[in-house]
Amino acid sequence: MLSTLSFRANSLSHDTLINVILPDETPTEDIPTLYLLHGMHGNHESWVRKSNVERYAASRHIAVVMPEGENSFYHDMKYGKKYFTYIAEELPSVVSRVYRLSGKREKNFIAGLSMGGYGAVRTALLKPEAYDAAASLSGCLDIVRVLTECKWLTEAASIWGDDFRTCAKDTDSDLFHVLDSFPDSAPKPALYACCGQQDSLYRDNLTFRDYMQSTGKADGFRFLFEDGPGIHDWIFWHNWI
């Protein structure tokens, strides 16, 4: 079952939309839940319009929550809205109350494509008590490098500020820094990444893979990387979700 919910998000200071896939044959509460994030220039409808995620979710008896994230990289933006607060804190509270989705860490997961792949991994690492696993499909996993070459200047300045090309390194925007400073006492979400071999972000995904393996973090985070033929498009994401 697919439903659309409109509600006022206090962290965004405006109304927003989400799509929610609910399984037909499950208990009425404590439903395993995947938060599924779109990429740049997408919206809450991207996954249901361009992939078979509704059918996949039905076969696995899980709920899928697809929020609107604009072009925020799921950050609390320097000159904009608080999308990290919305995704990581307010949204789970709203959907668990309205749809009776599970609040248990072992039943909550987060994934996304491109911008959303980065957002999913970052959110899970910054809120490890909330998610058992995170998945990135063609994600911007080396955001520091991406920002040095990015063409989306207005969006980058809104998120990170006018010095966006240099300010993200060694902050909680930088996934390598977040992993290096990850608390020993915190639960470690399983991490998964995949990317097409012809994708413009493939090099960054290999850098992330090599870092996880060379630092020994791959074991602790149960990290798995996979690749195959493909570019940065919905053919790849539809096949790999």
Side-chain angles (χ1 to χ4, degrees), residues 2 17-19 21 36-54 66-71 74 113 115 234 237-238 241:
L2 175 65
L17 293 168
I18 59 172
N19 274 339
I21 299 168
L36 190 56
L37 309 181
H38 64 76
M40 282 195 81
H41 311 301
N43 61 24
H44 68 288
E45 294 189 327
S46 296
W47 279 104
V48 291
R49 288 180 56 235
K50 298 180 179 180
S51 79
N52 276 339
V53 67
E54 188 173 3
M66 293 159 285
E68 170 65 61
E70 298 189 76
N71 294 327
Y74 303 97
L113 68 88
M115 175 187 85
W234 276 101
W237 303 322
H238 164 80
I241 187 56

Side-chain angles (χ1 to χ4, degrees), residues 90-162:
E90 185 173 5
L91 179 62
S93 175
V94 169
V95 297
S96 64
R97 186 170 66 249
V98 174
Y99 295 100
R100 298 188 179 277
L101 306 181
S102 181
K104 299 174 182 174
R105 178 183 183 271
E106 64 269 22
K107 291 189 175 183
N108 276 272
F109 318 96
I110 188 167
L113 68 88
S114 193
M115 175 187 85
Y118 164 83
V121 172
R122 178 175 181 265
T123 301
L125 291 175
L126 294 179
K127 297 282 288 186
E129 71 281 3
Y131 307 97
D132 189 59
S136 165
L137 286 74
S138 312
C140 299
L141 299 182
D142 188 353
I143 194 65
V144 172
R145 191 208 64 79
V146 168
L147 287 173
T148 64
E149 300 179 0
C150 85
K151 304 295 192 294
W152 28 279
L153 307 183
T154 300
E155 292 88 347
S158 295
I159 299 165
W160 289 281
D162 294 334

Side-chain angles (χ1 to χ4, degrees), residues 179 188-191 208-225:
L179 283 160
K188 291 182 171 63
L191 299 179
F208 189 83
R209 178 204 65 185
D210 294 346
Y211 162 84
M212 292 296 289
Q213 293 174 347
S214 65
T215 59
K217 298 183 188 298
D219 290 338
F221 287 92
R222 295 167 285 161
F223 175 68
L224 174 64
F225 176 78

